[in-house]
Amino acid sequence: MASIVCFRNFILPGISKIECSKLALLQSVYYRNARYCGKKSKHSKYDLVVIGGGSGGLAAAKEAAALGAKVAVLDFVTPSPRGTKWGIGGTCVNVGCIPKKLMHHAALLGEALHDARSYGFRLPQPENIKHNWLLLRQAVQNHIKSANWVTRIDLRDKKVEYINAFGTFKDPYTVQATTKKGVKSLTSKYFLIAVGGRPRYPSIPGAREFGITSDDIFSLEHDPGKTLVVGAGYVGLECAGFLKGLGFDSTIMVRSIVLRGFDQQMANIVMEAMMEKGVQFLHKCIPKSVAKNPNGKLQVKWTNSTGQEFNDDFDTVLFATGRKALTRELCLDKAGVMLARDGEKIETVNEQTNVPHIYAVGDVLFKKPELTPVAIHAGRLLVRRLFGGSKIQMSYENIATTIFTPLEYGCVGLSEETAIERFGADNIEIYHSYYKPTEFSIPQRSIAHCYLKVIAKRDGQQQVLGMHLIGPQAGEVIQGFAAAIKCNLTVNALLNTVGIHPAVAEEFTRINITKRSGKTPFPASCCS
Ligand code: FAD
Ligand code: NDP
């Protein structure tokens, strides 16, 4: 009976039968618990209250207001253990994508300066070109401050009420907003949880006391010096990559494998490319402790897989050991919202939680990609369904992503491992090739790791299942191919596409060597 109520009132059109029954199951727990029923206020002050003013929350709030809804967005940043805090906009703008991309770009500029000498620019010898961390830090922080300011103006113009407050649920229809001035209650028809996550620290002595995370690195008030990065996921590789590019000694401690979940052939090439640039890797190691020496250096002790102990001194220890969703603090039990089986994230069906009028988007979702455009797109589509009569659901399939390592790695679709698992090795074809970016030739940059791979079904037109590229501007290149994959790109169509010469993206239109053939994937000349 409970699920019938929920279907009548809340189920959004366009939902599949499987999703329907999954949602009914989720919501039956809510309805079984009588104390949550019958509290709905007839006079909700808002149409939508969003908890979390980051990528997903802000996009949803602005879109809902544009559709005529009365919207409030709560955002509050708890300082990091080192005391770092920031303004509105969430992780991406303040301590994620944006400062990371700027620092990555700074590192690429350093590399370009070296190349520039070969292209005729009269510059000092490489060893005499110095980088100033504090100047970069200031430029990056200035950019962030201006983005925070623009965001506040934008919210005001779009008639979204911004409340700098920490949100917690009081009951299923009321959120308490704790501000510096006190607590106020907000009632609403719908709620959106978009609180994202924060970095995890390993539970070892000294980690929180002496270590930093991505929350601190972009505003660090001294240069990081010799740095140990613990963790070999997106954040670990990107931070170690730009730090090395800016001239700092940088080492990555890998617990198991590099870039878990990604195509492992590609992940290993990314790692080799970083090693070639001087980033060091400690394989199959876990940190044991961090302590401060009398000289101010941080002594890190660690063990390898055979239990052997090691230690070394570093100026900075950066933990990039994953992120924790900020759900515990929300008092979700008071609203009846259930957590997923990991006890931390929120399971939804089409962004709807087990409580029909409470939704969630972004990094807080269970088993969904933790990426800014994913949070934004899901948030916008959701409020268009709630307030605009739309039926369009978010698809979490074939989402392109790029790891901004010194040589970037962009990909969309399936990894080789997943394609084999889903279709069987005999039913897929893998095209691959090493290639030479034209601009690498004059400065004689290494081309050893410029590699691409297209994974396709083996039958008929050979539908493309995955595309992977390691090389300069991989992020820019892969975006367009992601659109093509959405349109059911085939190998035939790819080969019938006339390339742009000389460009890296063109290499995808020239694929002709399959792994199965055993032929060498190395290029003969630039124009073959
Ligand atoms: P967030 O952006 O984290 O926003 C949540 C907001 O809610 C925060 O401001 C938080 O303080 C606030 N909040 C939390 N709890 C409460 C509460 N109870 N009350 C009020 N406010 C609260 N993604 C990419 O696509 N490309 C990249 O290049 C990229 N680079 C990244 C680099 C780094 C170093 C990191 C850490 C992440 C990166 N990401 C990148 C991931 C991206 O930043 C996240 O996927 C995205 O920010 C998630 O958006 P969100 O809305 O879910 O949460
Ligand atoms: P990830 O989960 O990707 O990586 C965490 C890393 O830390 C793994 O290598 C993991 O090893 C290791 N690790 C975890 N716990 C420990 C421990 N106790 N001791 C040692 N090592 C440990 O998390 P990230 O923080 O790198 O990234 C979080 C998310 O942010 C990503 O999934 C991504 O969606 C997003 N992001 C996106 C970016 C982009 O789009 N360019 C950039 C940065 C972040 P193991 O594999 O053994 O578990």
Side-chain angles (χ1 to χ4, degrees):
M1 180 60 197
S3 55
I4 295 170
V5 174
C6 99
F7 286 133
R8 276 205 195 124
N9 291 346
F10 297 101
I11 276 281
L12 303 160
I15 181 170
S16 74
K17 267 191 179 166
I18 298 171
E19 286 167 332
C20 259
S21 37
K22 204 173 157 193
L23 192 63
L25 198 68
L26 267 178
Q27 295 184 345
S28 61
V29 179
Y30 171 77
Y31 282 102
R32 230 184 287 138
N33 194 340
R35 80 193 161 97
Y36 296 127
C37 295
K39 280 194 178 175
K40 184 176 178 181
S41 161
K42 282 194 180 124
H43 308 288
S44 296
K45 192 175 167 204
Y46 296 96
D47 297 312
L48 176 68
V49 166
V50 179
I51 314 178
S55 309
L58 289 178
K62 288 189 272 187
E63 187 78 8
L67 290 167
K70 187 167 170 14
V71 187
V73 58
L74 278 58
D75 191 60
F76 185 86
V77 179
T78 308
S80 76
R82 270 183 83 95
T84 313
K85 50 187 182 187
W86 51 90
I88 179 114
T91 304
C92 174
V93 172
N94 294 284
V95 287
C97 331
I98 301 301
K100 179 278 305 290
K101 182 76 190 290
L102 295 173
M103 293 210 170
H104 168 65
H105 184 66
L108 294 184
L109 281 177
E111 229 177 341
L113 278 177
H114 287 195
D115 289 0
R117 288 170 55 81
S118 345
Y119 278 98
F121 285 91
R122 304 194 59 181
L123 294 168
Q125 288 296 327
E127 58 276 17
N128 293 328
I129 300 177
K130 298 280 177 242
H131 180 264
N132 185 313
W133 170 263
L134 289 182
L135 288 180
L136 172 63
R137 174 208 177 271
Q138 199 52 52
V140 168
Q141 290 304 313
N142 289 346
H143 175 79
I144 293 171
K145 298 275 173 320
S146 76
N148 297 148
W149 189 76
V150 168
T151 303
R152 292 182 73 143
I153 302 291
D154 197 31
L155 289 176
R156 195 192 62 196
D157 291 350
K158 296 199 161 111
K159 305 213 172 353
V160 173
E161 187 181 343
Y162 160 57
I163 308 172
N164 183 202
F166 192 80
T168 49
F169 279 97
K170 188 176 164 201
D171 63 53
Y173 291 98
T174 319
V175 156
Q176 304 242 51
T178 307
T179 67
K180 280 183 195 152
K181 292 181 189 149
V183 182
K184 67 176 176 179
S185 293
L186 311 178
T187 54
S188 180
K189 186 173 176 197
Y190 299 115
F191 291 93
L192 178 61
I193 301 168
V195 291
R198 293 292 286 271
R200 280 182 207 281
Y201 289 79
S203 16
I204 56 163
R208 294 177 85 89
E209 198 178 349
F210 303 117
I212 64 166
T213 67
S214 53
D215 281 356
D216 311 296
I217 184 74
F218 305 111
S219 57
L220 204 63
E221 277 165 357
H222 54 82
D223 79 48
K226 178 180 170 185
T227 303
L228 173 69
V229 175
V230 181
Y234 271 90
V235 175
L237 292 197
E238 291 185 342
C239 289
F242 72 67
L243 288 174
K244 183 67 203 168
L246 297 174
F248 302 110
D249 186 308
S250 123
T251 302
I252 300 180
M253 188 179 285
V254 189
R255 179 167 71 175
S256 56
I257 53 172
V258 168
L259 290 177
R260 172 193 297 287
F262 282 86
D263 187 295
Q264 280 300 297
Q265 183 196 7
M266 303 306 284
N268 284 322
I269 297 176
V270 170
M271 181 182 71
E272 284 160 17
M274 291 184 76
M275 286 166 71
E276 191 181 63
K277 291 198 189 295
V279 178
Q280 296 152 72
F281 283 79
L282 299 168
H283 291 284
K284 301 236 184 302
C285 290
I286 48 167
K288 285 286 163 201
S289 64
V290 185
K292 200 168 206 165
N293 290 335
N295 64 4
K297 300 258 180 209
L298 300 177
Q299 189 190 57
V300 182
K301 291 188 178 163
W302 71 89
T303 52
N304 67 8
S305 52
T306 61
Q308 243 183 311
E309 285 211 13
F310 302 87
N311 70 75
D312 197 359
D313 290 351
F314 297 89
D315 297 301
T316 299
V317 179
L318 190 154
F319 290 104
T321 44
R323 295 173 66 80
K324 180 182 148 323
L326 293 177
T327 47
R328 220 184 46 172
E329 301 79 354
L330 281 173
C331 303
L332 290 176
D333 54 326
K334 293 189 178 162
V337 175
M338 278 167 33
L339 291 176
R341 58 180 181 275
D342 68 349
E344 187 184 301
K345 294 220 168 184
I346 299 176
E347 179 134 26
T348 59
V349 176
N350 298 319
E351 295 78 43
Q352 189 176 29
T353 71
N354 64 302
V355 181
H357 65 283
I358 303 180
Y359 295 82
V361 292
D363 283 9
V364 86
L365 294 187
F366 184 58
K367 288 200 181 297
K368 296 287 188 290
E370 294 175 22
L371 297 169
T372 275
V374 173
I376 292 176
H377 204 63
R380 282 200 187 126
L381 292 182
L382 169 67
V383 297
R384 281 179 203 158
R385 296 195 300 271
L386 292 179
F387 302 108
S390 164
K391 295 183 178 163
I392 301 171
Q393 303 288 358
M394 173 72 186
S395 162
Y396 292 90
E397 293 289 306
N398 288 325
I399 287 163
T401 183
T402 289
I403 299 160
F404 293 93
T405 36
L407 207 51
E408 296 175 6
Y409 167 32
C411 61
V412 56
L414 302 187
S415 65
E416 188 171 335
E417 292 87 344
T418 313
I420 291 174
E421 197 184 300
R422 281 199 201 162
F423 298 96
D426 288 343
N427 300 319
I428 59 164
E429 200 69 272
I430 296 164
Y431 293 86
H432 68 154
S433 175
Y434 283 91
Y435 65 93
K436 298 177 187 172
T438 311
E439 58 276 25
F440 278 25
S441 56
I442 287 182
Q444 295 184 353
R445 270 212 216 176
S446 165
I447 53 158
H449 306 105
C450 294
Y451 178 75
L452 62 83
K453 180 152 96 172
V454 176
I455 299 159
K457 283 190 187 164
R458 208 171 162 201
D459 56 356
Q461 298 279 306
Q462 298 197 315
Q463 187 189 353
V464 174
L465 302 169
M467 295 177 83
H468 301 259
L469 174 70
I470 294 176
Q473 304 294 336
E476 305 300 334
V477 172
I478 213 75
Q479 181 70 82
F481 289 109
I485 285 192
K486 282 261 171 210
C487 303
N488 298 321
L489 178 68
T490 61
V491 169
N492 274 1
L494 207 49
L495 294 176
N496 274 323
T497 304
V498 177
I500 298 170
H501 189 67
V504 167
E506 167 194 31
E507 301 296 337
F508 274 125
T509 67
R510 293 154 45 121
I511 48 159
N512 60 76
I513 293 168
T514 61
K515 277 197 175 177
R516 194 183 308 280
S517 74
K519 288 186 190 160
T520 172
F522 295 101
S525 81
C526 87
C527 306
S528 57

